[in-house]
Amino acid sequence: MTRGWALLLLLLLAACGDDAPQPAPQTAGHWRHCRVDGLAGASGLTIFGDDLIAVAGGGDRAVYVIPLDALEHEGRARARKLKVDVRDAALLLGAEPFALQGYTLEHLWPLAVDFQGVAVQAPDFLYVGDRVRRIVYWGRLRRDAAGKLSRVSFDEACVAPGGKRTKVDAGDWRDHGPGLAGLLALTGRRRMEDLYVLDRAPHGGPALRIHRMDRYGSTLGTIVVKHDFGDALECHALSWDGSRYVVHYGGGRGRLGGVKEPDALRSTALGAGSPGPDVEGVKAWTGLTHGEDGTVYIVAGSDPAVIAWRQP
């Protein structure tokens, strides 16, 4: 009798078939993606708590927030603009001649900008890199009474190292080198206040360069990154996966290559890495960040933007 009931139970379970709840698909190691309304031309991405923070190039001065829980594979999320405040009286900081001209944020902020990197540091510092004049604007992320991110106050600005200001005789302080491609700030490490600036392309030789600085514009060293991918190599974003730098480089879906931190800032090498996401309609990926759990997030500068992510 017991055996008969067991057989009957098995037959009933088999009959349920497709109606039975199915386990969620495994996502580890596979790219998923979501389109983000309200954000176009995205050029930088970082993670802050339960949110992604993004900026866009081409003159857009906004800072955008995308909640992580809004990301749904092949779905749509919406970016929200934060209110931006600027402390006009703040002097441009740094040791380069550009920083010694006495410019303040009142002079600099109205000028043309091309935001190409964004980074955060504990507890709530936000950094945005401008490619046009190779300036890093920084300040604090602010929350409203309900604890929701509501605005950014840019209180300072500093000159990022590595610029090619070849037209200063004509009063032109723009960077005429390869340009700033990515910005990285690390939290929870020995050098917590360091910022890292990635050049878009090699210059002065076939190696890439990651410049290390502090938030006041002091140059702390340069990491020379050797590679075998040709002089035309172009980089788009910089991140840290918990043990090494990660650079997104190359056209189209490109690749995510690892860069080990060298001892005493000696030269290191760029690994070939793994391919970036292949998403219809995406021509280039432009911003990159890693979560504490190892999930990698990457954004495309399309309209609307696309965010892809992959669990380790």
Side-chain angles (χ1 to χ4, degrees):
M1 190 72 171
T2 303
R3 183 178 179 183
W5 279 110
L7 289 172
L8 180 60
L9 179 60
L10 289 173
L11 289 173
L12 288 172
L13 289 174
C16 292
D18 295 337
D19 294 331
Q22 300 297 313
Q26 298 297 311
T27 61
H30 298 281
W31 287 106
R32 298 163 70 81
H33 70 274
C34 179
R35 303 194 183 273
V36 182
D37 296 320
L39 174 61
S43 56
L45 188 71
T46 192
I47 192 167
F48 180 64
D50 296 328
D51 296 301
L52 291 170
I53 309 290
V55 293
D60 190 337
R61 301 170 194 278
V63 176
Y64 299 86
V65 174
I66 307 101
L68 285 172
D69 61 11
L71 300 181
E72 179 182 351
H73 182 45
E74 296 184 347
R76 301 191 86 94
R78 174 160 290 277
R80 176 172 56 87
K81 280 186 181 182
L82 296 180
K83 185 180 186 310
V84 175
D85 301 318
V86 176
R87 187 167 73 91
D88 288 343
L91 280 168
L92 179 63
L93 304 174
E96 293 189 10
F98 183 25
L100 305 179
Q101 305 305 305
Y103 295 119
T104 67
L105 292 193
E106 184 178 16
H107 302 124
L108 298 169
W109 186 255
L111 301 177
V113 296
D114 185 14
F115 289 163
Q116 289 294 319
V118 61
V120 293
Q121 260 177 350
D124 53 13
F125 288 104
L126 179 75
Y127 304 87
V128 175
D130 168 38
R131 185 182 181 187
V132 177
R133 288 172 179 79
R134 208 173 175 93
I135 292 172
V136 176
Y137 294 97
W138 63 272
R140 310 294 288 265
L141 287 161
R142 308 292 186 182
R143 298 183 183 274
D144 59 20
K148 183 178 179 180
L149 288 175
S150 59
R151 63 188 181 95
V152 178
S153 59
F154 284 122
D155 303 319
E156 306 288 350
C158 61
V159 178
K164 296 292 182 182
R165 306 185 192 278
T166 54
K167 298 184 179 181
V168 293
D169 290 344
D172 181 356
W173 289 99
R174 291 176 296 172
D175 177 13
H176 294 281
L180 180 154
L183 192 64
L184 171 66
L186 299 180
T187 298
R189 303 182 68 217
R190 181 169 54 87
R191 295 194 296 264
M192 282 183 60
E193 292 191 358
D194 292 359
L195 299 175
Y196 299 82
V197 178
L198 173 69
D199 285 336
R200 183 166 299 274
H203 62 93
L208 296 168
R209 284 168 172 78
I210 299 174
H211 305 274
R212 190 164 65 92
M213 60 180 288
D214 67 16
R215 67 178 61 154
Y216 303 104
S218 298
T219 302
L220 303 177
T222 299
I223 301 173
V224 177
V225 183
K226 298 178 180 178
H227 61 84
D228 298 320
F229 309 122
D231 293 345
L233 180 74
E234 184 167 297
C235 298
H236 309 108
L238 176 67
S239 186
W240 176 263
D241 72 355
S243 63
R244 61 180 182 168
Y245 306 99
V246 179
V247 173
H248 181 270
Y249 69 92
R253 62 190 299 190
R255 301 185 73 87
L256 280 71
V259 177
K260 292 182 179 179
E261 186 168 27
D263 294 333
L265 294 183
R266 293 192 297 269
S267 64
T268 184
L270 172 64
S274 60
D278 185 12
V279 178
E280 183 179 358
V282 171
K283 296 180 179 179
W285 299 97
T286 51
L288 179 69
T289 192
H290 283 75
E292 290 185 1
D293 63 353
T295 300
V296 55
Y297 301 88
I298 192 167
V299 68
S302 49
D303 185 5
V306 174
I307 291 177
W309 66 98
R310 183 182 66 191
Q311 296 176 344

